[in-house]
Amino acid sequence: MALVSRENILSIINSYNQWWQTGVVPKGFLRDFKRCAYYVCRKALKSDLRRIVVMSGARRTGKTTVIYQTIADLLNEGVKPRNILFFTFDHPVIRAAGIDAVLSVYKEYISSDDEFYLFADEIQFDDEWTHYLKMAYDMNPEMRAVATGSASAAVEDGVRESGAGRWTVIRVPTLSFYEYCCIKGLEMNADCEDVFKLHTLPKHEQTRIIMGLSDLQSHLMRYLQLGGFPELVNTEDIAYAQALIREDIMDRAIKHDLPKVHDIRSIDELEKVFVYLCYNSSSIINIEAMCKEFEDVSKPTLEKYIRYLADANLINISCQLNIQGKKVLKRKNKIYVSDSGIRCAVVLDADIYTKPDELGYALETTVFKHVSDYFTSINRLYEVGYIRDGNGAEIDVAVQYAGRPIQYIEAKMRSNSTVKDDNGIVVYGMEDVPGYVITKNAVDFGLSERKGTQLYRIPAFAFLYLIGKTQEKSAIGG
């Protein structure tokens, strides 16, 4: 029998879609907690404006769980089980067959109804997925579709090239600290609508909210060490969890997924570049220094590898932004590992409990992730980067919209978190919008003024929890 036969395809999709026989999604595929991406996906799928929903994010961030939760909702709402089709391009037969062949078998043997739902997982492994999904969209006006992919650029470039008007792209990062706490059963009663308006509340309200969250401080340390991978939240075996992270990143993402999506000359080179970036997370990228470190790798190749790693959601790139409209002539980017847990798993001596510098790297990495996830989920036109002038005055995280400053943030995860007068957040601070200074201690919070600039100090556990909660409220109600 040929590998790609109608019989093989039918057998495989039957095994994936157990609700065709039982009417329900297997319990083991579901999770009680629903991520922000779930609410955004549901809203887009049910919108009067019909779009193909594409979820993009690294492996193990919960994209497939969102699909199963959505399928369970559809079944509960009375959609016929056979009118819901799920398949994944992780399977070699499905990858070889392609969307068109799978859909043809489904329509012939399972359901010929005009109204149906298609869910396709890990679509970046099909070079022509946008063509066939767009064709299915055009030929089936009652079809609704959701797809997921682990390579952001491959997914989003395909969407752009296929034409506007058919797609809604949702990014699915690792868990926020708020989501992490919810999964652990630590959801707190902190009634703050917007973390960036916390400073406007009466002082006693600020105290009540922050002190009410203070029990989360120890949990933040564990989150910074282990990261935001949903299936690892409740594990007690940190060493084994970190081994799983390394296995997923090195063996699956770098050695398996990326070579299938991109033309990579040397997997070993790519792996070494990633480890180098882990050791230099939260630093400005110096390509010339990297060329000296990797003598046989050219500058264009290194730049290409960095793009591929960002594409795979393994690193985040923080662009150097203009200083209140002033031109930055030679922009240099900062690099962050996409999740502090990845860095702690790769850099084996990254002990955040005993090494203040390591704790600082982990916090800045996590603050950038949370701020970027929050603002870009509201509007992709927000720019999240950093500011640094010729005198060395720097702001860790800056948010701009069309070149206009929106918010400045500085991470100070040390017992002595003094902000000096020559710090960028003071030099370039805005009179009407306080710069947020993320601190270590629970009692280190409140509004102050420095050289005509307002600063609002807030403990890391409170800031990270509240920004995640603010994002969830936006996802549910936005």
Side-chain angles (χ1 to χ4, degrees):
M1 180 187 293
L3 177 65
V4 180
S5 65
R6 299 180 80 78
E7 291 80 4
N8 276 356
I9 294 172
L10 182 59
S11 174
I12 291 164
I13 63 174
N14 261 305
S15 68
Y16 280 135
N17 296 267
Q18 296 181 37
W19 47 89
W20 292 347
Q21 286 76 42
T22 65
V24 296
V25 177
K27 188 176 180 180
F29 293 170
L30 299 173
R31 298 290 182 271
D32 292 335
F33 178 74
K34 294 179 171 65
R35 299 199 57 191
C36 290
Y38 161 84
Y39 297 105
V40 179
C41 177
R42 284 281 296 160
K43 204 171 297 180
L45 191 63
K46 289 294 187 179
S47 172
D48 292 338
L49 299 173
R50 179 170 163 261
R51 296 288 187 272
I52 300 170
V53 180
V54 182
M55 291 188 288
S56 170
R59 281 186 175 271
R60 306 293 187 184
T61 56
K63 302 184 299 297
T64 308
T65 297
V66 171
I67 283 182
Y68 284 130
Q69 289 173 329
T70 304
I71 292 172
D73 288 346
L74 295 173
L75 293 171
N76 290 334
E77 292 164 7
V79 175
K80 296 177 183 177
R82 286 180 172 262
N83 285 2
I84 302 171
L85 168 65
F86 169 83
F87 56 93
T88 176
F89 284 96
D90 258 352
H91 197 290
V93 172
I94 299 298
R95 192 156 57 240
I99 293 174
D100 193 41
V102 172
L103 194 53
S104 175
V105 170
Y106 167 76
K107 298 293 282 185
E108 180 176 354
Y109 293 101
I110 305 302
S111 174
S112 59
D113 288 359
D114 292 336
E115 185 176 337
F116 69 100
Y117 293 84
L118 182 153
F119 295 88
D121 206 16
E122 298 294 354
I123 41 79
Q124 77 275 357
F125 293 133
D126 183 350
D127 292 337
E128 298 186 284
W129 71 272
T130 50
H131 168 74
Y132 285 111
L133 200 49
K134 183 179 74 170
M135 189 165 62
Y137 172 97
D138 292 339
M139 295 179 64
N140 298 277
E142 300 300 318
M143 179 191 83
R144 296 279 180 154
V146 177
T148 78
S150 295
S152 293
V155 169
E156 294 177 31
D157 287 349
V159 166
R160 282 192 292 271
E161 290 170 5
S162 68
R166 294 179 174 87
W167 314 88
T168 294
V169 178
I170 301 168
R171 290 178 181 166
V172 187
T174 54
L175 296 171
S176 70
F177 181 53
Y178 169 76
E179 291 175 320
Y180 171 92
C181 290
C182 289
I183 291 175
K184 288 189 74 68
L186 297 168
E187 190 168 1
M188 314 296 280
N189 183 24
D191 50 348
C192 176
E193 293 296 321
D194 183 346
V195 66
F196 292 108
K197 290 185 171 59
L198 184 62
H199 66 276
T200 66
L201 299 178
K203 181 70 173 181
H204 71 274
E205 281 295 303
Q206 297 175 38
T207 301
R208 182 184 62 80
I209 290 171
I210 291 175
M211 290 298 101
L213 297 174
S214 60
D215 287 347
L216 298 179
Q217 191 155 17
S218 62
H219 295 284
L220 174 60
M221 295 295 288
R222 187 179 184 279
Y223 170 79
L224 293 175
Q225 181 187 36
L226 193 59
F229 293 94
E231 65 183 349
L232 303 180
V233 168
N234 289 312
T235 183
E236 298 298 328
D237 192 337
I238 301 298
Y240 182 60
Q242 291 183 329
L244 290 179
I245 292 173
R246 288 193 297 273
E247 180 180 317
D248 273 340
I249 300 305
M250 300 302 186
D251 294 342
R252 295 289 292 168
I254 291 179
K255 295 182 179 178
H256 178 267
D257 294 356
L258 280 173
K260 284 186 177 295
V261 176
H262 302 288
D263 180 20
I264 294 174
R265 185 182 71 180
S266 169
I267 296 174
D268 288 342
E269 281 181 358
L270 178 65
E271 185 176 38
K272 290 175 183 176
V273 168
F274 176 67
V275 172
Y276 175 92
L277 294 176
C278 285
Y279 274 90
N280 292 276
S281 183
S282 78
S283 299
I284 294 173
I285 301 172
N286 188 326
I287 296 295
E288 287 71 24
M290 291 183 69
C291 286
K292 293 178 182 178
E293 181 80 17
F294 303 98
E295 295 178 358
D296 298 328
V297 186
S298 67
K299 180 178 178 180
T301 298
L302 285 173
E303 291 173 336
K304 182 173 66 174
Y305 285 164
I306 289 170
R307 289 198 307 271
Y308 291 167
L309 292 167
D311 170 28
N313 300 284
L314 298 179
I315 62 173
N316 291 323
I317 295 176
S318 175
C319 298
Q320 186 175 5
L321 302 179
N322 292 341
I323 304 169
Q324 296 182 332
K326 297 178 182 178
K327 185 70 174 177
V328 178
L329 295 178
K330 293 183 179 181
R331 295 189 175 208
K332 293 183 178 180
N333 295 331
K334 267 188 176 183
I335 187 73
Y336 292 100
V337 177
S338 61
D339 187 284
S340 64
I342 296 176
R343 184 178 187 278
C344 287
V346 173
V347 181
L348 297 180
D349 61 348
D351 189 344
I352 63 173
Y353 289 93
T354 62
K355 298 180 179 179
D357 286 346
E358 292 296 337
L359 180 57
Y361 299 147
L363 178 68
E364 189 177 338
T365 294
T366 304
V367 168
F368 180 84
K369 163 191 155 52
H370 279 65
V371 174
S372 180
D373 291 347
Y374 170 64
F375 280 99
T376 57
S377 71
I378 298 172
N379 191 324
R380 294 291 178 85
L381 296 179
Y382 279 112
E383 290 183 288
V384 182
Y386 77 102
I387 286 174
R388 191 180 198 185
D389 69 11
N391 298 318
E394 186 171 330
I395 302 174
D396 289 339
V397 183
V399 184
Q400 293 182 354
Y401 185 84
R404 182 170 64 89
I406 300 294
Q407 185 69 58
Y408 293 152
I409 300 160
E410 189 78 8
K412 294 286 184 184
M413 196 64 165
R414 295 176 181 272
S415 297
N416 179 12
S417 55
T418 302
V419 178
K420 297 180 180 179
D421 287 347
D422 60 355
N423 189 288
I425 203 168
V426 174
V427 175
Y428 298 107
M430 297 168 279
E431 292 182 6
D432 53 340
V433 181
Y436 268 46
V437 179
I438 314 303
T439 64
K440 181 178 181 180
N441 297 323
V443 296
D444 191 359
F445 68 93
L447 194 63
S448 62
E449 186 174 316
R450 294 285 296 279
K451 299 184 70 175
T453 297
Q454 285 191 319
L455 300 177
Y456 185 70
R457 304 172 73 82
I458 177 172
F461 63 82
F463 175 77
L464 295 171
Y465 184 89
L466 291 173
I467 194 173
K469 187 169 185 177
T470 302
Q471 183 175 349
E472 183 191 67
K473 286 183 178 180
S474 176
I476 294 173

